[in-house]
PDB file of all heavy atoms in Angstrom:
ATOM      1  N   ASN A  52      14.289 -15.482  -2.038  1.00 86.00           N
ATOM      2  CA  ASN A  52      13.993 -14.540  -0.972  1.00 86.00           C
ATOM      3  C   ASN A  52      14.518 -13.137  -1.307  1.00 86.00           C
ATOM      4  O   ASN A  52      13.853 -12.129  -1.091  1.00 86.00           O
ATOM      5  CB  ASN A  52      14.560 -15.002   0.356  1.00 86.00           C
ATOM      6  CG  ASN A  52      13.809 -16.188   0.950  1.00 86.00           C
ATOM      7  OD1 ASN A  52      12.656 -16.396   0.615  1.00 86.00           O
ATOM      8  ND2 ASN A  52      14.479 -16.930   1.801  1.00 86.00           N
ATOM      9  N   VAL A  53      15.735 -13.122  -1.856  1.00 87.00           N
ATOM     10  CA  VAL A  53      16.325 -11.822  -2.244  1.00 87.00           C
ATOM     11  C   VAL A  53      15.525 -11.176  -3.361  1.00 87.00           C
ATOM     12  O   VAL A  53      15.327  -9.951  -3.403  1.00 87.00           O
ATOM     13  CB  VAL A  53      17.808 -12.009  -2.681  1.00 87.00           C
ATOM     14  CG1 VAL A  53      18.375 -10.715  -3.262  1.00 87.00           C
ATOM     15  CG2 VAL A  53      18.650 -12.476  -1.487  1.00 87.00           C
ATOM     16  N   LEU A  54      15.033 -11.971  -4.297  1.00 87.00           N
ATOM     17  CA  LEU A  54      14.298 -11.463  -5.463  1.00 87.00           C
ATOM     18  C   LEU A  54      12.805 -11.280  -5.191  1.00 87.00           C
ATOM     19  O   LEU A  54      12.066 -10.897  -6.086  1.00 87.00           O
ATOM     20  CB  LEU A  54      14.493 -12.410  -6.649  1.00 87.00           C
ATOM     21  CG  LEU A  54      15.926 -12.527  -7.187  1.00 87.00           C
ATOM     22  CD1 LEU A  54      15.994 -13.556  -8.304  1.00 87.00           C
ATOM     23  CD2 LEU A  54      16.425 -11.181  -7.691  1.00 87.00           C
ATOM     24  N   GLY A  55      12.389 -11.551  -3.969  1.00 83.00           N
ATOM     25  CA  GLY A  55      10.994 -11.345  -3.621  1.00 83.00           C
ATOM     26  C   GLY A  55      10.032 -12.333  -4.262  1.00 83.00           C
ATOM     27  O   GLY A  55       8.913 -11.974  -4.618  1.00 83.00           O
ATOM     28  N   THR A  56      10.474 -13.581  -4.410  1.00 85.00           N
ATOM     29  CA  THR A  56       9.630 -14.600  -5.030  1.00 85.00           C
ATOM     30  C   THR A  56       9.828 -15.919  -4.281  1.00 85.00           C
ATOM     31  O   THR A  56      10.296 -15.912  -3.162  1.00 85.00           O
ATOM     32  CB  THR A  56       9.986 -14.734  -6.545  1.00 85.00           C
ATOM     33  OG1 THR A  56       9.095 -15.678  -7.135  1.00 85.00           O
ATOM     34  CG2 THR A  56      11.411 -15.163  -6.751  1.00 85.00           C
ATOM     35  N   THR A  57       9.461 -17.037  -4.914  1.00 85.00           N
ATOM     36  CA  THR A  57       9.652 -18.334  -4.313  1.00 85.00           C
ATOM     37  C   THR A  57      10.509 -19.223  -5.209  1.00 85.00           C
ATOM     38  O   THR A  57      10.623 -18.954  -6.423  1.00 85.00           O
ATOM     39  CB  THR A  57       8.302 -19.056  -4.080  1.00 85.00           C
ATOM     40  OG1 THR A  57       7.684 -19.329  -5.349  1.00 85.00           O
ATOM     41  CG2 THR A  57       7.374 -18.178  -3.224  1.00 85.00           C
ATOM     42  N   ALA A  58      11.091 -20.248  -4.611  1.00 83.00           N
ATOM     43  CA  ALA A  58      11.904 -21.164  -5.403  1.00 83.00           C
ATOM     44  C   ALA A  58      11.055 -21.877  -6.467  1.00 83.00           C
ATOM     45  O   ALA A  58      11.505 -22.134  -7.586  1.00 83.00           O
ATOM     46  CB  ALA A  58      12.567 -22.203  -4.474  1.00 83.00           C
ATOM     47  N   GLU A  59       9.794 -22.183  -6.101  1.00 83.00           N
ATOM     48  CA  GLU A  59       8.887 -22.832  -7.061  1.00 83.00           C
ATOM     49  C   GLU A  59       8.612 -21.946  -8.253  1.00 83.00           C
ATOM     50  O   GLU A  59       8.618 -22.380  -9.387  1.00 83.00           O
ATOM     51  CB  GLU A  59       7.593 -23.189  -6.352  1.00 83.00           C
ATOM     52  CG  GLU A  59       6.576 -23.892  -7.277  1.00 83.00           C
ATOM     53  CD  GLU A  59       5.247 -24.187  -6.611  1.00 83.00           C
ATOM     54  OE1 GLU A  59       5.018 -23.650  -5.501  1.00 83.00           O
ATOM     55  OE2 GLU A  59       4.443 -24.894  -7.191  1.00 83.00           O
ATOM     56  N   GLU A  60       8.410 -20.647  -7.979  1.00 84.00           N
ATOM     57  CA  GLU A  60       8.132 -19.734  -9.083  1.00 84.00           C
ATOM     58  C   GLU A  60       9.346 -19.587  -9.997  1.00 84.00           C
ATOM     59  O   GLU A  60       9.197 -19.490 -11.224  1.00 84.00           O
ATOM     60  CB  GLU A  60       7.728 -18.376  -8.536  1.00 84.00           C
ATOM     61  CG  GLU A  60       7.257 -17.391  -9.619  1.00 84.00           C
ATOM     62  CD  GLU A  60       6.745 -16.099  -9.036  1.00 84.00           C
ATOM     63  OE1 GLU A  60       6.395 -16.065  -7.858  1.00 84.00           O
ATOM     64  OE2 GLU A  60       6.712 -15.103  -9.804  1.00 84.00           O
ATOM     65  N   LEU A  61      10.530 -19.574  -9.415  1.00 86.00           N
ATOM     66  CA  LEU A  61      11.731 -19.493 -10.236  1.00 86.00           C
ATOM     67  C   LEU A  61      11.919 -20.751 -11.089  1.00 86.00           C
ATOM     68  O   LEU A  61      12.294 -20.670 -12.250  1.00 86.00           O
ATOM     69  CB  LEU A  61      12.962 -19.285  -9.335  1.00 86.00           C
ATOM     70  CG  LEU A  61      13.144 -17.897  -8.719  1.00 86.00           C
ATOM     71  CD1 LEU A  61      14.382 -17.908  -7.847  1.00 86.00           C
ATOM     72  CD2 LEU A  61      13.251 -16.823  -9.765  1.00 86.00           C
ATOM     73  N   SER A  62      11.612 -21.869 -10.501  1.00 84.00           N
ATOM     74  CA  SER A  62      11.821 -23.155 -11.208  1.00 84.00           C
ATOM     75  C   SER A  62      10.744 -23.421 -12.275  1.00 84.00           C
ATOM     76  O   SER A  62      11.079 -23.902 -13.362  1.00 84.00           O
ATOM     77  CB  SER A  62      11.850 -24.317 -10.201  1.00 84.00           C
ATOM     78  OG  SER A  62      12.888 -24.169  -9.296  1.00 84.00           O
ATOM     79  N   THR A  63       9.496 -23.101 -11.940  1.00 80.00           N
ATOM     80  CA  THR A  63       8.383 -23.489 -12.852  1.00 80.00           C
ATOM     81  C   THR A  63       7.634 -22.309 -13.454  1.00 80.00           C
ATOM     82  O   THR A  63       6.885 -22.479 -14.404  1.00 80.00           O
ATOM     83  CB  THR A  63       7.364 -24.363 -12.081  1.00 80.00           C
ATOM     84  OG1 THR A  63       6.740 -23.530 -11.059  1.00 80.00           O
ATOM     85  CG2 THR A  63       8.039 -25.546 -11.419  1.00 80.00           C
ATOM     86  N   GLY A  64       7.801 -21.131 -12.867  1.00 75.00           N
ATOM     87  CA  GLY A  64       7.044 -19.976 -13.349  1.00 75.00           C
ATOM     88  C   GLY A  64       5.660 -19.881 -12.766  1.00 75.00           C
ATOM     89  O   GLY A  64       4.943 -18.906 -13.014  1.00 75.00           O
TER      90      GLY A  64
END
Side-chain angles (χ1 to χ4, degrees):
N52 288 338
V53 173
L54 295 176
T56 183
T57 65
E59 180 184 10
E60 187 176 339
L61 287 178
S62 299
T63 66

